[in-house]
Amino acid sequence: MTPAVRDNAWLRAMPWVFVLIWSTGFIVARYGMPHAPPLSFLAVRYALSILCFLPWIVLAGVKWPSNRTQALHLAVTGILMHAGYLGGVWAAVKAGMGSGLSSLIVGIQPVLTAIWLTSVGGQHVSRRQWLGLLLGFAGLVLVVSRKFGAGGPGDSANWLNLSFAVMALFAITVGTLYQKRFVQACDVRTANTVQLAAALLVTLPLALLETESMRWNAELAGAMAWSVLGLTLGGSSLLYMLIQRGAAASVTSLMYLVPPCTALIAWLLFAEPITATTLAGTALTAFGVSLVVRPPKPV
């Protein structure tokens, strides 16, 4: 296989690898959340991720962002897409919101992105893509519907956890659009390090206000290890590259595939049942995403 063929194969596989990695986020939360407050967990995650990136950058001789403006743009996206999004989701779940409802709220992101692109961004979202976005969201509702009210006595929606979830939704939406608009292409390792450093500066002071302590055990250590190596070094890096390479509506539509993939992983790891409704929602979601990401026919 020639290098060009390998590169093309990797580019085609990149979105699906991203979905698979990103889908483990709620699995990590299930393992780690009972043993740590959300912001303290995320602060340690950011710090360890930076410590992993720095020697990699030095050994590879990678260049840092070319100027202060680009570093500032990367810092803004880091605050939005790491501190804002992850902090909001983890805080919402910790405050009693079930994974189904939080997934559904954050799952509105592709529709918000498309609305922004057509109304303000000056980009065209075709009727086929709009149909795909709506079908994908309908499938997402079917997938997570069985989780509503299924998380025990604390699984409920209130103004506090709803605020956290909506904050996460707007943070990931604005962060994606901001990065696509302002961040120039640069090495993903240095870009991620700048983003994580900005997220850590915002998250750490808030984490110090949490009264709950981290109770280290095998489950928390495993959750932290995968959060750093899989979700941050792998998933966040892939998301950065996808945003740089693709159209925003197509990239964000991949988020629709995360809850169905999470349901499959939960079935494999925890024997959570997969119903006919889940399968139908997964099929509908996959079809909707295919309509969004399919390249237009040549005129």
Side-chain angles (χ1 to χ4, degrees):
M1 184 181 293
T2 65
V5 173
R6 283 198 300 268
D7 289 344
N8 288 333
W10 167 239
L11 290 176
R12 289 193 297 269
M14 189 187 297
W16 315 116
V17 175
F18 163 74
V19 169
L20 180 61
I21 294 176
W22 208 252
S23 299
T24 63
F26 282 111
I27 306 299
V28 165
R30 177 165 178 168
Y31 277 114
M33 189 69 73
H35 311 293
L39 299 182
S40 296
F41 182 97
L42 291 174
V44 174
R45 170 179 167 176
Y46 300 150
L48 292 177
S49 299
I50 293 171
L51 291 177
C52 289
F53 272 120
L54 286 177
W56 191 7
I57 291 170
V58 173
L59 291 174
V62 177
K63 293 183 179 180
W64 291 88
S66 57
N67 53 63
R68 292 183 179 179
T69 301
Q70 275 306 297
L72 178 61
H73 288 322
L74 284 168
V76 171
T77 59
I79 292 171
L80 290 169
M81 300 178 70
H82 288 285
Y85 168 67
L86 292 175
V89 169
W90 280 66
V93 174
K94 189 69 173 182
M97 179 175 287
S99 61
L101 182 55
S102 56
S103 295
L104 183 61
I105 292 174
V106 177
I108 303 173
Q109 181 206 353
V111 177
L112 288 184
T113 300
I115 291 173
W116 175 269
L117 291 175
T118 54
S119 60
V120 180
Q123 297 187 28
H124 177 65
V125 178
S126 68
R127 291 181 179 178
R128 171 178 55 78
Q129 290 179 310
W130 273 115
L131 176 62
L133 288 168
L134 296 177
L135 289 177
F137 184 70
L140 175 63
V141 173
L142 288 177
V143 169
V144 304
S145 60
R146 70 177 181 84
K147 295 188 177 181
F148 291 131
D155 185 9
S156 60
N158 54 56
W159 69 267
L160 179 62
N161 56 31
L162 278 174
S163 298
F164 286 140
V166 172
M167 180 190 75
L169 166 63
F170 281 98
I172 189 68
T173 303
V174 175
T176 300
L177 294 169
Y178 188 95
Q179 179 172 317
K180 185 64 178 175
R181 173 65 177 84
F182 293 106
V183 176
Q184 298 175 0
C186 62
D187 188 271
V188 67
R189 290 161 289 191
T190 54
N192 242 330
T193 302
V194 174
Q195 290 176 329
L196 289 166
L200 180 59
L201 287 175
V202 172
T203 304
L204 184 57
L206 298 175
L208 294 176
L209 299 176
E210 293 177 320
T211 57
E212 180 184 354
S213 60
M214 298 183 69
R215 299 177 297 279
W216 287 99
N217 53 32
E219 288 189 349
L220 180 57
M224 183 64 72
W226 179 249
S227 292
V228 172
L229 300 176
L231 289 169
T232 301
L233 273 69
S236 296
S237 298
L238 284 172
L239 179 59
Y240 173 86
M241 290 187 287
L242 286 168
I243 293 173
Q244 290 299 309
R245 293 173 180 271
S250 298
V251 171
T252 55
S253 68
L254 294 173
M255 295 296 185
Y256 278 156
L257 296 174
V258 171
C261 194
T262 300
L264 177 60
I265 296 173
W267 172 68
L268 292 172
L269 294 181
F270 308 120
E272 289 189 6
I274 292 183
T275 64
T277 302
T278 302
L279 293 175
T282 300
L284 186 59
T285 299
F287 178 67
V289 171
S290 72
L291 293 179
V292 178
V293 302
R294 184 188 307 165
K297 296 180 179 179
V299 180

